Amino acid sequence: MRRGISGRGSAYNNDEKSFAVVNNIMLDAEKIPNNFDVDLKVDEIDKVKGNWNFKIKVSTDKTKNKIIKVSPNKDLSSLEKDSVLKKITVTPLTTTLEVEGKTSIAESSVGWNFMIFDDKDKQISNVGISGSGYNNYSDEIYEYKGLQTKSDYITIVPYLMKSTFQKFMKVDLSDKFPLVISNKDQGGLIINKIEFLKDKTLIHFQLDKLFPQWTIGGTCINLEDENGYLHPLFPNNIKFSTEENCYIGEMEALPSKNKYKIVTKDIRDGIDIRDDLSFKVYLNK
């Protein structure tokens, strides 16, 4: 049974001609065969029409025995009434939390979400949320990347969104990189390099902790010039780099001789990390 489809984003290779996009299709592992074919038909890519057909052979032999499913039935009523963490599924590619309840936790008045850490305290990057609701019933799946190494347990830390981030931080841009803009416990924005090219400006940046949860979905990086004019980096101009939580943003061409400030959202007062509500889930099969 297909549970849903979610995008992982896109990226250009260095030649800026080869484009890659990843879609994640969630399936029930017990209900698919060990070997099957996927027919992929594409008739348009970014307004370029064509007729591309692919037949891809898929095998689950290398992954089926590495799937771990845990049913903690963890009561999450402290977050939202009648909510329960029903299932955790860990595969080599993804880690998912399945939450059931009468109200959507993600769409509640406070907007709950979760951070996940492995047993070495390494954070697992968030991918997205999908779900459905019917008859006063909500089923949500919080999706993260797979665990890079074997982990005996994961630590789940709830956090809530308290504001719409109306505050901003400004930092003078210099030629010394990396430039770290910290939001304390909530993580930070790291500017690794800025290229002032003839036809565009490229910002190479890295995100830490909670920044990936909201940054790519909304404009978070602006260059403010000497006249106080903001040059925004729009989400659809942000592409994934090859490194974890690293991105390349493209904006209009700007004069390299001018002085600029990096302007980004201040999330210190907008997010409340609830370490007091954190808990561990052991992954023993």
Side-chain angles (χ1 to χ4, degrees):
M1 178 179 67
R2 188 170 72 178
R3 297 299 302 275
I5 301 177
S6 61
R8 285 288 187 89
S10 56
Y12 281 101
N13 287 339
N14 290 332
D15 60 8
E16 294 193 359
K17 297 179 181 179
S18 303
F19 184 75
V21 62
V22 179
N23 279 333
N24 179 41
I25 303 175
M26 299 183 67
L27 302 169
D28 192 333
E30 281 82 11
K31 296 182 180 179
I32 60 174
N34 290 336
N35 299 280
F36 58 94
D37 292 334
V38 172
D39 292 322
L40 178 62
K41 299 180 180 180
V42 181
D43 56 20
E44 184 175 353
I45 301 176
D46 195 21
K47 299 181 180 181
V48 178
K49 296 186 181 296
N51 184 21
W52 302 279
N53 298 319
F54 304 91
K55 186 178 288 291
I56 305 168
K57 293 187 178 297
V58 179
S59 173
T60 63
D61 292 341
K62 294 183 178 181
T63 60
K64 204 157 190 177
N65 294 328
K66 296 182 180 180
I67 297 174
I68 300 174
K69 291 190 175 183
V70 182
S71 300
N73 290 315
K74 172 70 175 178
D75 183 8
L76 299 179
S77 295
S78 57
L79 309 184
E80 194 69 27
K81 185 179 179 181
D82 298 323
S83 294
V84 178
L85 175 59
K86 296 291 289 187
K87 185 190 298 184
I88 296 175
T89 303
V90 179
T91 77
L93 300 177
T94 60
T95 302
T96 59
L97 311 181
E98 188 168 338
V99 177
E100 295 181 359
K102 293 183 179 179
T103 305
S104 166
I105 286 184
E107 297 178 359
S108 64
S109 58
V110 290
W112 286 102
N113 210 319
F114 304 96
M115 291 188 293
I116 294 182
F117 300 86
D118 65 15
D119 61 2
K120 302 171 185 62
D121 205 32
K122 180 180 179 181
Q123 186 175 1
I124 311 303
S125 299
N126 177 276
V127 174
I129 304 173
S130 61
S132 59
Y134 54 91
N135 295 332
N136 296 322
Y137 174 83
S138 174
D139 180 6
E140 292 177 324
I141 296 178
Y142 294 77
E143 185 181 355
Y144 304 78
K145 290 187 177 181
L147 299 177
Q148 297 299 308
T149 58
K150 184 179 182 300
S151 184
D152 292 330
Y153 62 84
I154 58 174
T155 300
I156 299 175
V157 182
Y159 68 90
L160 58 86
M161 318 289 281
K162 298 193 300 181
S163 77
T164 55
F165 311 120
Q166 297 302 317
K167 295 182 179 180
F168 291 86
M169 294 187 295
K170 295 184 180 183
V171 177
D172 289 327
L173 183 64
S174 67
D175 56 357
K176 296 181 179 179
F177 296 100
L179 175 61
V180 180
I181 304 174
S182 176
N183 269 273
K184 296 184 177 179
D185 293 339
Q186 287 85 342
L189 168 66
I190 303 170
I191 306 295
N192 291 318
K193 181 172 62 172
I194 295 184
E195 297 180 88
F196 295 96
L197 305 179
K198 182 178 180 180
D199 58 340
K200 58 190 172 184
T201 302
L202 296 179
I203 301 178
H204 300 255
F205 65 98
Q206 185 175 345
L207 303 172
D208 180 45
K209 287 189 178 180
L210 284 175
F211 262 65
Q213 311 289 342
W214 56 268
T215 303
I216 301 304
T219 301
C220 81
I221 300 176
N222 303 271
L223 287 183
E224 182 181 281
D225 62 26
E226 298 167 325
N227 299 317
Y229 184 81
L230 288 179
H231 303 270
L233 174 59
F234 294 107
N236 58 344
N237 290 330
I238 297 175
K239 301 174 177 64
F240 289 94
S241 179
T242 55
E243 298 180 29
E244 181 78 5
N245 285 337
C246 291
Y247 306 86
I248 301 174
E250 179 180 326
M251 63 170 58
E252 63 192 286
L254 298 172
S256 60
K257 62 181 180 180
N258 290 357
K259 294 183 179 180
Y260 298 95
K261 296 179 184 289
I262 292 287
V263 182
T264 187
K265 294 177 181 178
D266 186 345
I267 67 173
R268 288 172 292 184
D269 295 326
I271 291 180
D272 184 11
I273 301 176
R274 296 298 302 272
D275 289 305
D276 57 312
L277 298 177
S278 65
F279 56 94
K280 292 181 180 179
V281 175
Y282 286 85
L283 304 176
N284 300 324
K285 295 191 68 175

